């Protein structure tokens, strides 16, 4: 892992750029963000005092359509992180073949310490500060770490208040009652499972044991869907702890415990493990679904899973992906593995634009079709260039983007 996350994002891109012998001017065009917005958001806290939070939005590249990407609330948010995440969104949207550019937003805050009222005022404040720069044809946010459909609902309402009319397509991941799409809540996990199934067909692991890091929208739902399909989940974790049971966890009971106590701690009949131990377990499939930078040169030699499904953004460094590939393990890169989220966000935006909504089966069928094509494109590039799937995903996406640059007249055909 590079020292900083933006350096890491660039190093993933550069591996592919070097293989493609990309011209310097193309590298320059593709690695500089179009727009960086930083705002101060004053929020009246419940104690009556005003507290000012720093908010960011990076609109990296809009050459393929309006920019798109989630908003993260976390104490460790930095501009560098938001920039890297917006860069990854740019490439993910190419791999997923959705007509969007890449963006990301973030606020430095700890939402776990907020009341609902404080969370609402911060979310409305973010839109008040950013509304000129976002919109259904400009830049479309969505949920990310510690933001959810309720936060999206406050945001769409604030946009309504400022603009004087509803614009449901300005944000995705909304509740169903407020222009959301069937299947959006499960989309990231379900999309990941569709590509995992394709990978299993190629690699052929039988009766796999699975460990999952992170137990939020991505991690909890992937655990639920996989266990419903008969897979054995032996370990899961959240920010406080991990839990392990060799003969498989009862995932629904774990979810009920987490929902009741807000933590995995105290769940009976399991061994408590650390997040680091979870990553190094003897399992067949490992699903990092929390934060970035968890599998790097430092621990890659201890990673035993045959398949790593990168449901989080940036969990595996470029160096670690290469090393895993050399050891015969497969890391399905974030920009492919978690692209189900933005794909169903795209479906939500389409449905908002036409004012007509699809049934869940229709959404899932369309999602599967897109995920299988995306996997095939990346897998073929991996075979053609003899590289890991991460580098292959960038090769595929950069080649597509170069055509866009040519057609738009930035570079000669
Ligand atoms: P979330 O807020 O719903 O859940 C985050 C989970 O990570 C929580 O269970 C939390 O306890 C856990 N966590 C936080 N810090 C941790 C740590 N240090 N170690 C272990 N666990 C930790 O967020 P989410 O939406 O599930 O997002 C998780 C990852 O998936 C992020 O990288 C996000 O960018 C990515 N992702 C999410 C979506 C989506 O649709 N939600 C789409 C694409 C990618």
């Amino acid at each position: 892992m590079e020292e900083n996350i933006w350096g890491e994002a660039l190093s993933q891109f550069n591996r592919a750029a070097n293989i493609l012998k990309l011209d310097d001017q193309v590298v320059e065009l593709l690695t500089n963000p179009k727009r960086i917005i930083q705002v101060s958001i004053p929020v009246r806290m419940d104690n009556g005092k005003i507290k000012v939070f720093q908010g960011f939005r990076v609109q990296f590249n809009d050459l393929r359509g309006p920019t798109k990407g989630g908003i993260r609330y976390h104490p460790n948010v930095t501009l560098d992180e938001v920039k890297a995440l917006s860069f990854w969104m740019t490439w993910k949207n190419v791999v997923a073949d959705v007509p969007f550019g890449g963006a990301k937003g973030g606020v430095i805050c700890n939402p776990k310490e907020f009341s609902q009222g404080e969370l609402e005022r911060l979310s409305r404040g973010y839109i008040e500060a950013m509304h000129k720069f976002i919109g259904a044809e400009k830049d479309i946010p969505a949920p990310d770490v510690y933001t959810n459909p309720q936060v999206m609902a406050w945001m769409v309402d604030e946009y309504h208040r400022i603009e004087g009319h509803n614009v449901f397509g300005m944000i995705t991941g909304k509740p169903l009652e407020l222009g959301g799409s069937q299947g959006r809540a499960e989309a990231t996990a379900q999309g990941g499972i569709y590509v995992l199934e394709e990978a299993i067909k190629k690699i052929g692991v039988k009766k796999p044991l699975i460990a999952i890091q992170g137990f939020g929208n991505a991690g909890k739902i992937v655990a639920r869907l996989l266990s419903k399909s008969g897979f054995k989940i032996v370990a899961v974790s959240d920010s406080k702890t991990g839990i392990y049971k060799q003969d498989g966890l009862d995932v629904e009971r774990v979810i009920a415990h987490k929902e009741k106590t807000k933590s995995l701690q105290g769940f009976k009949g399991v061994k408590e493990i650390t997040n680091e131990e979870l990553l190094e377990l003897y399992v067949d499939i490992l699903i990092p679904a929390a934060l970035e930078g968890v599998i790097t040169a430092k621990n890659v030699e201890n990673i035993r899973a045959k398949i790593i499904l990168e449901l989080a953004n940036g969990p595996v460094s470029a160096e670690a992906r290469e090393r895993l590939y050399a050891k015969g393990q497969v890391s399905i890169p974030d920009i492919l593995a978690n692209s189900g989220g933005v794909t169903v966000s795209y479906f939500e935006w389409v449905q908002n634009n036409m004012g007509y909504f699809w049934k869940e089966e229709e959404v899932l069928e369309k999602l599967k079709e897109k995920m299988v094509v995306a996997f095939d494109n990346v897998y073929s590039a991996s075979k053609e260039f003899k590289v890991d799937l991460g580098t292959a995903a960038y090769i595929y996406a950069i080649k597509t983007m170069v055509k866009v640059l040519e057609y738009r007249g930035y570079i000669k055909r």
Side-chain angles (χ1 to χ4, degrees):
M1 186 87 176
E2 292 283 328
E3 277 308 299
N4 67 57
I5 181 170
W6 171 241
E8 171 56 35
L10 273 184
S11 105
Q12 294 176 2
F13 173 91
N14 284 336
R15 277 170 160 78
N18 290 340
I19 291 168
L20 291 172
K21 299 192 174 48
L22 218 57
D23 193 279
D24 284 352
Q25 57 171 339
V26 176
V27 172
E28 205 175 338
L29 275 166
L30 296 180
T31 55
N32 282 288
K34 175 176 173 131
R35 188 177 290 125
I36 295 179
I37 308 151
Q38 177 167 2
V39 293
S40 297
I41 309 169
V43 176
R44 180 143 339 256
M45 306 306 280
D46 288 350
N47 64 8
K49 292 199 174 129
I50 295 271
K51 205 166 165 188
V52 179
F53 296 90
Q54 292 305 301
F56 308 100
R57 187 83 187 155
V58 179
Q59 299 167 338
F60 206 96
N61 182 310
D62 67 352
L63 296 180
R64 294 183 63 259
T67 50
K68 177 117 195 59
I71 302 173
R72 178 172 294 196
Y73 288 177
H74 197 277
N76 299 342
V77 162
T78 63
L79 178 55
D80 240 24
E81 180 187 53
V82 180
K83 194 166 133 187
L85 288 161
S86 71
F87 185 66
W88 285 327
M89 282 307 300
T90 305
W91 303 109
K92 186 186 303 182
N93 290 339
V94 183
V95 170
D97 189 26
V98 292
F100 294 131
K104 201 82 183 190
V107 179
I108 307 172
C109 65
N110 188 356
K112 287 182 184 172
E113 292 172 355
F114 291 162
S115 68
Q116 282 296 97
E118 289 167 340
L119 194 61
E120 174 175 351
R121 293 192 287 280
L122 174 73
S123 304
R124 289 184 183 277
Y126 185 87
I127 292 302
E128 192 174 18
M130 295 286 183
H131 81 273
K132 284 200 183 104
F133 305 98
I134 59 181
E137 299 299 330
K138 289 190 216 167
D139 179 22
I140 307 145
D144 192 70
V145 174
Y146 298 153
T147 54
N148 58 25
Q150 173 63 77
V151 170
M152 300 303 110
W154 288 322
M155 288 183 166
V156 83
D157 185 69
E158 186 63 20
Y159 197 80
H160 177 191
R161 198 187 62 75
I162 296 166
E163 297 288 320
H165 61 106
N166 273 314
V167 186
F168 287 119
M170 58 77 55
I171 205 160
T172 60
K174 302 179 293 292
L176 281 178
E177 296 77 5
L178 212 56
S181 174
Q182 295 286 350
R184 177 60 184 89
E186 303 81 22
T188 304
Q190 186 61 69
I193 292 175
Y194 290 143
V195 291
L196 182 63
E197 284 168 355
E198 294 306 299
I200 290 175
K201 277 187 212 159
K202 305 273 185 211
I203 297 151
V205 270
K206 289 202 180 97
K207 295 198 177 164
L209 300 182
I210 303 180
I212 301 169
Q213 181 186 47
F215 211 61
N217 184 274
K220 178 176 72 183
I221 299 189
V222 84
R224 167 173 275 160
L225 296 177
L226 284 170
S227 80
K228 269 192 190 157
S229 327
F231 286 91
K232 198 183 271 187
I233 318 292
V234 294
V236 297
S237 68
D238 63 10
S239 60
K240 295 193 198 87
T241 191
I243 56 173
Y244 172 75
K245 191 167 183 220
Q246 200 175 3
D247 50 358
L249 294 162
D250 180 340
V251 172
E252 288 306 321
R253 276 190 54 229
V254 176
I255 291 176
H257 177 83
K258 168 86 181 172
E259 275 167 9
K260 196 167 158 209
T261 66
K262 304 271 172 268
S263 166
L264 294 173
Q265 281 167 334
F267 188 74
K268 298 274 185 308
V270 295
K271 187 179 165 205
E272 288 216 2
I273 56 172
T274 64
N275 262 291
E276 291 71 31
E277 285 166 341
L278 179 139
L279 297 169
E280 300 178 6
L281 286 171
Y282 275 103
V283 289
D284 304 286
I285 298 170
L286 175 64
I287 307 184
L291 294 174
E292 53 264 4
V294 293
I295 301 177
T296 66
K298 283 191 191 131
N299 63 351
V300 67
E301 298 308 329
N302 303 333
I303 304 296
R304 295 166 167 118
K306 292 189 193 76
I307 301 177
I308 294 110
L309 180 71
E310 301 179 23
L311 266 199
N313 281 305
V316 185
S317 73
E319 203 180 337
R321 281 179 186 158
E322 267 183 6
R323 187 64 204 124
L324 289 164
Y325 178 68
K327 292 199 288 164
Q329 293 157 285
V330 175
S331 203
I332 306 174
D334 47 7
I335 60 173
L336 169 63
N338 69 34
S339 66
V342 76
T343 301
V344 177
S345 270
Y346 162 55
F347 296 159
E348 181 175 334
W349 179 78
V350 169
Q351 293 169 84
N352 290 151
N353 289 347
M354 62 181 178
Y356 179 75
F357 289 83
W358 302 327
K359 289 190 186 118
E360 187 177 10
E361 304 86 78
E362 208 170 339
V363 170
L364 293 180
E365 191 189 323
K366 286 181 166 66
L367 172 64
K368 183 167 187 179
E369 206 175 299
K370 274 198 160 301
M371 296 306 298
V372 171
V373 171
F375 179 85
D376 285 345
N377 287 335
V378 172
Y379 191 77
S380 302
S382 156
K383 289 285 163 215
E384 184 185 343
F385 289 87
K386 298 187 175 46
V387 290
D388 62 278
L389 289 180
T391 308
Y394 277 88
I395 288 177
Y396 171 79
I398 292 171
K399 281 171 80 176
T400 308
M401 192 65 100
V402 166
K403 287 195 196 126
V404 173
L405 292 177
E406 288 171 355
Y407 281 122
R408 280 188 177 266
Y410 285 83
I411 52 173
K412 285 216 172 69
R413 297 180 72 183

